Amino acid sequence: MSPQAPEFDGQRWSNADDDRVEVVAADPAWPQRFAEEARAIADALALPGLGIEHIGSTAVPGLDAKPIIDILLLPPAEIDPHRLIEPLQQLGYQYWSENPDTTRMFFVKGMPPFGSGRTHHIHVMDLGEASRRLLFRDWLRNHPEDARLYAEVKHEMARRYPTDRDAYTAGKDEVVAQILGRALNPPEHHRDREGDEPHGGEIHGQDRGG
């Protein structure tokens, strides 16, 4: 019998005790885990021009994080993103079809009861939000003081809300807004040092590693 998808009763997800929030020390193996999964995704989707980016905290060297690889997919504009669902399901991802945010698609691998623990997330979103995610990642890669601040808040939220992912995420909103504000309006010396381009972590098409 297939596992039943988690249900939300208005207060709590039914799998909350098994699907706990845990922030762990940075693991240097995370980029390799991304690269391996990105290759599998690129092969499964076989979409010329597909962009695949490593985002989230595991994409920032030295940053403590939940041990879940967050992956941003950027399909070509002419492609219906719903074409991604079946191939990703074949790779073991669960698609959140009831996502109230209709501007995004979200996939999870390993989430209880379908697995023993989350290993990967896949995000598909509009280019504006995708750009903000990439900007946030790149800013943290280049600003260790903000990365440390973010890590402190994440550890505190994980201690406070170990079985409530929504509260954990909401608890980070203020610091994320602060850091993103600095990234969107950096001092002149930061602009001179960094430039405007994202720094690695992407696959475009099927012939480039992350």
Side-chain angles (χ1 to χ4, degrees), residues 94-146:
Q94 302 296 319
Y95 171 53
W96 187 17
S97 59
E98 299 177 356
N99 187 352
D101 184 353
T102 58
T103 67
R104 296 177 52 200
M105 299 174 71
F106 182 58
F107 302 80
V108 186
K109 179 181 277 191
M111 179 180 67
F114 303 103
S116 60
R118 299 182 187 222
T119 60
H120 301 78
H121 291 163
I122 290 178
H123 309 263
V124 183
M125 61 189 68
D126 66 71
L127 288 178
E129 179 60 24
S131 296
R132 286 188 287 274
R133 296 291 187 99
L134 295 170
L135 177 65
F136 187 75
R137 178 200 68 186
D138 290 345
W139 180 267
L140 292 181
R141 285 177 172 178
N142 288 284
H143 296 84
E145 66 283 2
D146 273 341

Side-chain angles (χ1 to χ4, degrees), residues 61-81:
L63 179 57
D64 295 354
K66 301 189 303 298
I68 303 166
I69 306 302
D70 281 285
I71 298 171
L72 172 65
L73 295 188
L74 299 166
E78 69 275 11
I79 297 297
D80 178 357

Side-chain angles (χ1 to χ4, degrees), residues 110-197:
M111 179 180 67
F114 303 103
S116 60
R118 299 182 187 222
T119 60
H120 301 78
H121 291 163
I122 290 178
H123 309 263
V124 183
M125 61 189 68
D126 66 71
L127 288 178
E129 179 60 24
S131 296
R132 286 188 287 274
R133 296 291 187 99
L134 295 170
L135 177 65
F136 187 75
R137 178 200 68 186
D138 290 345
W139 180 267
L140 292 181
R141 285 177 172 178
N142 288 284
H143 296 84
E145 66 283 2
D146 273 341
R148 285 192 295 270
L149 172 62
Y150 190 41
E152 290 170 3
V153 172
K154 290 195 300 173
H155 278 290
E156 174 59 28
M157 292 302 106
R159 285 190 293 267
R160 191 179 300 181
Y161 305 113
T163 60
D164 190 337
R165 286 180 176 271
D166 292 336
Y168 166 84
T169 300
K172 299 186 300 174
D173 284 350
E174 183 176 353
V175 71
V176 169
Q178 291 172 357
I179 294 171
L180 189 56
R182 287 191 282 274
L184 288 167
N185 298 283
E188 288 298 327
H189 69 278
H190 286 316
R191 289 195 188 98
D192 293 342
R193 185 179 70 186
E194 290 159 22
D196 298 319
E197 295 299 321

